[in-house]
Amino acid sequence: MSHHVVEVRDLSFAYPDGTEALRGVSFRIEHGGAVALIGGNGAGKSTLLLHLNGYLSTTRSDVRIGDTIVTRETAALARRAVGMVFQDPDDQLFMPTVAEDVAFGPLNAGLPPDQVESRVASALERVGMTHLRERPPYRLSAGEKRAVAIATVLAMSPDILVMDEPSSNLDPRARRRLIEHLLSFEHTKIIATHDLELVVEVCRHVLVMDAGRIVAQGPTVEILSDENLMLAHGLERPHILRHAHPH
Amino acid sequence: MGITDWIEIGRMDELGRMDTPAHRLDARAKAIVTLAFIVVVMSFPRHDVSALTPFLLYPIALISLGRIPVGYLARKILIAAPFALFIGIFNPLLDRTPVTTIGTVAISGGWVSFGSIMFRFFLTVGAALALVACTGMNRLGAALERLGVPRVFVVQLLFLYRYLFVVSDQAGKMKRSAEMRSSGRPLRLRVYGSMIGHLLLRSMDRAERVYRAMVARGFDGEVRVLRPSSFVWSDAIFVAGCLLFFVSARLWNLAEAFGRLLTGGAM
Ligand SMILES: Nc1ncnc2c1ncn2[C@@H]1O[C@H](COP(=O)(O)OP(=O)(O)O)[C@@H](O)[C@H]1O
Ligand SMILES: [Mg+2]
C-alpha cells in the first residue's frame, strides 16, 4: 500500500551548533515488515528518525511518507501516519496514569470519548498491560514502561512504527516479550538499534549508518554476516550468525 | 531518599484522582473560588492578622472534604516557606513603631506585618495546593483554558508542573552520584554550583525530549482531558456561597464579631 512507503532522498541536517548529523541520506522502504537501522553511537540514527515525523525538517523536503512530503505544514499528517517510540520511556510517559497517557494521542487527534476509550483499551490489551491502566507510569518497571510507551503509539493507529533503541535497558524476559510484540505488529517498522540479535529475529532488511551516511543496505543475514563491513562501522557480527553461511 | 520522594509530586497526581465531594466539584468552580480567595486575602492591609483568621475556613474545608492528608500538604507549604520568609523578614527591621503590646512587650508594626505576610502566605499557598490536590493538575489546566485563560499560559503552567518532576528526578540522581564519590565528606559549595549548572542543562535537554514526545503524539497546545467535568447547580451554589463569605469576611472583621458574641460584649 502506498501509504506505507517511506522515502528519504539526499537528506542532510546539521544541528544549530554546527554538528553535521546527516550527510546525504537516501533510502526507500516500500515493503511492509521491519527494517533495522544500525550503526554506532552518534551515527545519526536518532536524528534521522526525528525527520520521519517532521519534528526536524529541512527547507528542502527530502522525506516522503506515503503520499505526503514531510514539511512543517504537513508535519501533523506525518505524525498521524508515523508512530514514534522514543529511546527513553520516561520522556514519553508524562501523564498521571497509564490510561491517560495512552489516551493522550487519540484525544489530540480529536476523537470522541468513547472511541478514545476503546483505543486505550485495545492498545493496552495489545501489549498485555491492561492491568496497569490506573497506575502512575513512573512507578513501572523498565519493561512495563517500554510496553506502555508502545501502547501510547499503537493507540494512534499509525501506519508506520518507528522505534529508537527499543530493547535498551530491558532484562532478558522483557526483551523477549518485546520481540514477540514486534513480530505480532502488522505495521511497517523502522527500528534503530544496537541489538543485532533482535535485528536478526525481527527485521528482514538492514540499513547501516556511519557518520551521518547510509554505508550499506540489504537483506539482514547478508549484511550482518559481513564481518569486515560490521567491524569497519563499529559493529560486530552477532553470535547467532557466527555459524550461518550466507550467499 | 531522593529529592523526588521529597517533592512527592506523584503523590499530588494520586490525590488528584480521588473521588470525594471536593473532587466532584467542577474544576472551573474551584479555580474561580480559589482565585477570588487569593485576591481577597492579598487585599488586606498589611497590619491585619485577626481579620484574616476566618479565611482559614476555606482551605480547611477543601482539605477535609477532599480528604487530603494534612501532613503532606504542610510539608509542601514548608518547601515554599523560605521565599515568603525572605520577602517578609525585612519588615521588622524597617518598621519599628510599636502598634500593640502583648503583656509588657511592645510589638512593632514591622513584626505585625511580618506575621501578616507569613499568615497570608500559608493561607494562599495552602489553598492553591489544596486546589491542585483535589482537582489534579491536568484537569485544572483544562478548566483554566475553558475559563478563557490564554493557552500559552496554561501550557506553561502544566509544563512547569511536569518538569518539576523531571528536574527533581535529575537532581536526585546527580546528588546521589556526587555523594557516592565524595567519601562521606560534605559536598563543597563549588561542587553544588557546578551541579546546578549541569542540572539546568540536563533538565533543558530532558524537557526538550518530553516536548518532542508530546508533539509526536499530536500535541498542538490545546489541553484535552478525557472526561471534562460539567458545571451543575451545586457548583453554582458553591461559588456563590464562597464568594459571599469572602466578601463579608473582607468587609467586616468576623473574628472580632464572633469573639464579642462569645464573650457577650456589648456592641
Ligand atoms: N541536540 C543536539 N545538538 C547538537 N548535536 C547533536 C544533538 N543531538 C545529537 N547531536 C549530534 O549529532 C550526531 C548524531 O547523533 P544521534 O542522531 O543522536 O546518533 P545516534 O542516535 O546514532 O547515536 C552526534 O554527533 C551527536 O553528538
Ligand atoms: Mg540515538
Side-chain angles (χ1 to χ4, degrees):
Chain A
M1 253 188 297
S2 75
H3 54 274
H4 290 255
V5 173
V6 177
E7 186 169 15
V8 173
R9 240 186 260 160
D10 196 23
L11 175 64
S12 296
F13 177 81
Y15 280 101
D17 67 354
T19 312
E20 283 185 64
L22 300 177
R23 309 165 194 236
V25 169
S26 300
F27 63 87
R28 183 181 161 89
I29 300 172
E30 35 192 321
H31 39 85
V35 175
L37 183 60
I38 64 175
N41 290 324
K45 304 181 296 293
S46 301
T47 308
L48 175 56
L49 297 187
L50 288 175
H51 281 83
L52 299 183
N53 77 347
Y55 184 79
L56 296 178
S57 60
T58 50
T59 39
R60 297 174 299 133
S61 339
D62 302 318
V63 178
R64 195 160 70 89
I65 304 289
D67 304 321
T68 312
I69 305 216
V70 182
T71 60
R72 264 196 201 98
E73 290 71 42
T74 61
L77 273 176
R79 279 167 203 155
R80 218 161 296 154
V82 178
M84 190 151 317
V85 180
F86 290 88
Q87 183 167 355
D88 185 350
D90 282 328
D91 298 335
Q92 187 146 7
L93 304 173
F94 40 75
M95 296 293 277
T97 64
V98 166
E100 284 174 83
D101 228 312
V102 179
F104 183 82
L107 278 173
N108 284 331
L111 295 181
D114 52 327
Q115 265 188 51
V116 172
E117 191 44 60
S118 73
R119 289 264 187 112
V120 170
S122 71
L124 284 174
E125 172 91 52
R126 197 71 202 272
V127 295
M129 291 292 134
T130 307
H131 58 294
L132 298 178
R133 52 173 296 144
E134 297 308 322
R135 293 266 296 280
Y138 50 87
R139 293 259 174 80
L140 307 180
S141 74
E144 290 165 340
K145 280 183 190 172
R146 180 74 59 181
V148 171
I150 293 173
T152 65
V153 169
L154 290 181
M156 302 179 65
S157 315
D159 300 318
I160 299 158
L161 274 179
V162 171
M163 302 194 178
D164 200 350
E165 318 233 359
S167 64
S168 57
N169 289 327
L170 297 188
D171 67 19
R173 196 187 315 147
R175 181 173 163 281
R176 176 69 14 224
R177 198 174 305 137
L178 170 80
I179 290 177
E180 267 144 35
H181 285 146
L182 292 181
L183 287 170
S184 77
F185 299 147
E186 64 282 6
H187 311 73
T188 298
K189 292 173 281 274
I190 302 177
I191 303 173
T193 184
H194 295 292
D195 185 344
L196 300 183
E197 323 244 313
L198 176 144
V199 173
V200 172
E201 281 194 64
V202 177
C203 305
R204 274 187 286 160
H205 247 77
V206 178
L207 303 171
V208 184
M209 269 193 103
D210 195 2
R213 289 193 180 87
I214 303 275
V215 291
Q217 53 184 308
T220 302
V221 175
E222 194 176 301
I223 298 279
L224 298 195
S225 307
D226 188 339
E227 194 108 44
N228 294 333
L229 174 75
M230 298 302 275
L231 288 175
H233 299 292
L235 298 160
E236 66 181 8
R237 187 173 165 178
H239 283 289
I240 42 174
L241 290 184
R242 273 287 139 85
H243 306 291
H245 297 283
H247 310 301
Chain B
M1 191 175 102
I3 293 188
T4 316
D5 304 321
W6 182 58
I7 294 189
E8 298 174 288
I9 198 163
R11 181 102 184 267
M12 204 55 139
D13 285 339
E14 272 160 42
L15 292 174
R17 283 200 303 280
M18 293 194 309
D19 186 29
T20 73
H23 286 77
R24 280 193 290 272
L25 284 168
D26 183 70
R28 281 165 295 178
K30 283 179 281 189
I32 293 170
V33 169
T34 306
L35 188 67
F37 176 84
I38 292 171
V39 169
V40 173
V41 165
M42 284 315 196
S43 75
F44 273 87
R46 62 198 197 98
H47 285 167
D48 276 352
V49 179
S50 81
L52 280 167
T53 48
F55 284 89
L56 274 170
L57 270 179
Y58 176 65
I60 289 175
L62 269 191
I63 288 167
S64 52
L65 284 177
R67 291 204 294 278
I68 301 157
V70 177
Y72 168 76
L73 211 64
R75 262 175 285 148
K76 299 297 87 98
I77 298 177
L78 284 179
I79 290 176
F83 297 101
L85 209 61
F86 188 74
I87 295 168
I89 199 66
F90 294 103
N91 278 291
L93 303 175
L94 299 177
D95 178 3
R96 295 168 188 246
T97 44
V99 288
T100 181
T101 56
I102 295 182
T104 56
V105 184
I107 308 287
S108 73
W111 280 110
V112 172
S113 62
F114 173 68
S116 179
I117 284 176
M118 292 310 285
F119 190 37
R120 275 188 258 188
F121 165 79
F122 280 105
L123 283 176
T124 51
V125 173
L129 288 174
L131 169 70
V132 177
C134 70
T135 310
M137 199 61 198
N138 289 305
R139 215 147 4 133
L140 186 60
L144 291 177
E145 196 165 317
R146 284 163 82 196
L147 281 173
V149 176
R151 186 176 287 182
V152 217
F153 183 75
V154 173
V155 171
Q156 284 300 320
L157 194 71
L158 288 180
F159 277 151
L160 203 68
Y161 177 76
R162 254 326 121 203
Y163 292 158
L164 205 61
F165 179 58
V166 169
V167 173
S168 64
D169 193 45
Q170 298 274 359
K173 281 183 192 152
M174 207 180 294
K175 184 154 172 288
R176 192 166 54 212
S177 86
E179 275 164 2
M180 277 192 299
R181 287 182 289 154
S182 65
S183 350
R185 257 172 286 152
L187 298 178
R188 271 173 313 167
L189 201 61
R190 214 173 59 80
V191 177
Y192 270 110
S194 154
M195 260 168 52
I196 287 170
H198 272 281
L199 185 64
L200 220 67
L201 289 176
R202 281 202 215 174
S203 306
M204 275 158 56
D205 274 353
R206 184 83 188 272
E208 157 97 16
R209 291 199 306 271
V210 173
Y211 177 69
R212 186 184 284 173
M214 296 176 80
V215 167
R217 286 196 274 153
F219 183 68
D220 55 4
E222 187 178 340
V223 188
R224 298 172 177 90
V225 290
L226 198 48
R227 286 173 223 89
S229 50
S230 49
F231 199 94
V232 293
W233 58 270
S234 56
D235 295 309
I237 293 179
F238 167 72
V239 173
C242 287
L243 294 187
L244 192 69
F245 171 68
F246 297 160
V247 171
S248 344
R250 178 69 184 87
L251 294 179
W252 302 289
N253 186 335
L254 295 184
E256 244 172 58
F258 191 61
R260 271 198 299 272
L261 206 69
L262 280 190
T263 53
M267 287 292 278

